[in-house]
């Protein structure tokens, strides 16, 4: 993904995520982690959590792009990940919350 991080160490495969931000500590980088309720599925429930954080500032789990505010760019990222099952499509090259046990 050309972010300078080897796939085995990359917490967000396929998407540039050089800072490797993982604010919830689940082993999946924020750039590809729209599973806000930590159940390994990106669903409408996660959209509700994103909605609650919309226009908030800070180092938040819902700030997927890392620009310091939850906004429309983050909504676009969320939309691209909606209905992803992280137990089937693991977005991280690292052991994480959704890795097979």
């Amino acid at each position: 993904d050309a972010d300078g991080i080897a796939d085995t160490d990359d917490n967000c495969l396929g998407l540039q995520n050089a800072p490797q931000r993982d604010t919830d500590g689940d082993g999946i980088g924020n750039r590809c982690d729209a599973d806000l309720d930590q159940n390994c599925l990106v669903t409408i429930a996660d959209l509700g959590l994103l909605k609650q954080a919309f226009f908030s500032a800070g180092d938040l789990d819902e700030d997927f792009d890392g620009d310091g505010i939850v906004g429309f760019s983050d909504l676009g990222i969320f939309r691209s990940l909606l209905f992803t099952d992280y137990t089937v499509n693991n977005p991280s090259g690292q052991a994480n919350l959704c890795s097979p046990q």
Side-chain angles (χ1 to χ4, degrees), residues 52-58 60 63 68-71:
Q52 291 175 9
F54 218 68
F55 295 127
S56 296
L60 304 171
D63 181 16
I69 190 164
V70 179

Side-chain angles (χ1 to χ4, degrees), residues 5-42:
I5 309 296
D7 284 351
T8 54
D9 298 322
D10 198 340
N11 68 10
C12 186
L13 297 172
L15 298 170
Q16 289 187 355
N17 183 37
Q20 299 289 287
R21 282 179 67 248
D22 179 16
T23 55
D24 62 8
D26 65 359
I28 302 170
N30 283 39
R31 178 63 181 85
C32 56
D33 187 5
D35 176 26
L36 300 172
D37 63 6
Q38 304 295 333
N39 68 353
C40 298
L41 301 169
V42 182

Side-chain angles (χ1 to χ4, degrees), residues 79-100:
R79 184 174 170 234
S80 72
L81 297 169
L82 187 59
F83 302 121
T84 301
D85 179 343
Y86 289 163
T87 62
V88 176
N89 297 309
N90 187 350
S92 175
Q94 301 178 10
N96 61 69
L97 174 74
C98 301
S99 297

